[in-house]
Amino acid sequence: MDPETAALLRDPLTKEPLELVQEACRQFLLNPRSGRCFPIRDGIPVFVEPGELGGRNRQFRQLYDRVAIFYDVQSHIYAFLSGQKLGALRRGFLSELEFRPGDRVLEVSVGTAWNLLLLPPAIDFYGLDLSWGMLEKGRRNLRRWKREAHLFCGEAENLPFADDCFDVVFQLGGLNFFNDKGKAVREMIRVAKPGTRLLISDENEKQIRDLYQKIPILGRRLWRRHEGLGPPLDLIPAEMEHRTVRDHADGRFYTLTFRKPR
């Protein structure tokens, strides 16, 4: 890990700065005030271990660890069953963001890093996910694509980054099933620079109702939360500007964008 990246990292619970430590053949991140250490495995800093998780976050980490190996193929099938092509669908979501060369970009719930293929090449890309299995697949994808990115294992509700450090912040999918959606939204706002436009996209109830019951692995678990899904406008702080909600794919998905005040 390079020192510039390490300088952006924080203890996810206390938000205290971390130090990059090199010992023999290993690196780790240290909170010098508390003594808490965070390992770096295969180049990926780990800010939460499986035993530290509870509720739905623990449940869905286990699920996505199991499906990671074929998740990319499943996503294409999933989009097809919705009458869409995956690339076109996600490009429609991402077109609502603003990218400039050199921007520091954060994707929360980065999964296998597939969305990086749809982004401009001249950005500094950071991706966080709860599932180690998905991040391992993402690391292999990056090597195959010959693309550079910074990957992190952690919870969206406790982002391990400094305040006001990202030019672009977005999340495609996953918010519906977090332990604490409101806290995750507030964390995305915290790490965005003033003036940043943020994007959250996920399934509407129509998509849950029509498709999730047909997917054997995911169906039973995801269907439990099928009611009341949609744009979380009530979770966006009142001071956020230019809120916009759009439906996609015949109302199966939504995008919610808003701007952090300057």
Side-chain angles (χ1 to χ4, degrees):
M1 175 180 293
D2 61 272
E4 182 179 355
T5 300
L8 299 176
L9 299 180
R10 298 291 185 268
D11 185 310
L13 298 182
T14 66
K15 310 308 179 192
E16 294 167 331
L18 300 175
E19 294 180 359
L20 180 63
V21 179
Q22 180 78 47
E23 281 189 359
C25 297
R26 73 184 185 110
Q27 285 185 327
F28 61 91
L29 293 157
L30 170 69
N31 181 333
R33 295 193 63 182
S34 67
R36 189 180 183 197
C37 295
F38 303 94
I40 301 175
R41 299 179 185 142
D42 297 326
I44 301 175
V46 178
F47 290 98
V48 63
E49 300 285 6
E52 298 172 329
L53 295 171
R56 299 182 66 82
N57 285 359
R58 180 176 182 178
Q59 174 188 2
F60 280 94
R61 169 162 174 156
Q62 293 171 347
L63 173 64
Y64 282 102
D65 281 349
R66 288 199 294 270
V67 305
I69 191 67
F70 53 84
Y71 182 81
D72 289 339
V73 173
Q74 175 183 287
S75 295
H76 283 277
I77 296 172
Y78 180 46
F80 175 77
L81 292 173
S82 305
Q84 304 290 319
K85 291 184 177 180
L86 184 64
L89 181 64
R90 294 190 181 179
R91 282 191 185 93
F93 301 156
L94 294 170
S95 67
E96 301 190 40
L97 287 170
E98 302 163 344
F99 297 97
R100 295 168 298 183
D103 274 353
R104 187 181 295 135
V105 177
L106 172 65
E107 180 177 4
V108 180
S109 299
V110 69
T112 63
W114 195 87
N115 292 324
L116 180 60
L117 293 176
L118 308 177
L119 300 180
I123 59 171
D124 189 14
F125 185 77
Y126 289 65
L128 177 136
D129 204 277
L130 188 62
S131 165
W132 180 255
M134 297 287 275
L135 290 168
E136 282 192 314
K137 180 66 182 297
R139 185 169 53 84
R140 292 194 294 270
N141 281 344
L142 291 169
R143 188 182 302 121
R144 179 162 55 89
W145 300 331
K146 296 180 172 57
R147 295 290 297 268
E148 296 290 331
H150 312 279
L151 299 180
F152 306 87
C153 185
E155 291 183 286
E157 295 95 334
N158 296 293
L159 294 177
F161 306 113
D163 296 355
D164 306 330
C165 65
F166 289 101
D167 301 287
V168 179
V169 178
F170 71 94
Q171 178 175 21
L172 302 188
L175 184 74
N176 283 335
F177 307 108
F178 286 169
N179 278 349
D180 190 334
K181 294 192 289 186
K183 188 175 182 183
V185 170
R186 293 192 297 273
E187 278 288 272
M188 284 187 269
I189 294 169
R190 179 184 65 81
V191 302
K193 292 180 180 178
T196 294
R197 192 178 193 189
L198 295 91
L199 179 144
I200 296 169
S201 178
D202 214 333
E203 297 95 346
N204 277 316
E205 186 173 335
K206 179 177 181 180
Q207 178 74 351
I208 303 292
R209 184 180 63 248
D210 290 353
L211 287 182
Y212 275 169
Q213 291 187 108
K214 302 176 184 178
I215 302 175
I217 294 176
L218 297 177
R220 287 193 301 272
R221 293 187 178 187
L222 299 184
W223 185 248
R224 295 172 189 169
R225 292 281 301 274
H226 74 283
E227 294 183 353
L229 299 180
L233 282 166
D234 58 321
L235 302 181
I236 308 303
E239 65 270 20
M240 295 299 111
E241 301 172 347
H242 308 306
R243 305 182 197 197
T244 303
V245 176
R246 291 188 175 88
D247 283 335
H248 297 259
D250 192 29
R252 294 179 181 275
F253 303 90
Y254 70 83
T255 54
L256 167 60
T257 59
F258 55 94
R259 192 177 299 280
K260 182 175 179 177
R262 295 187 182 278

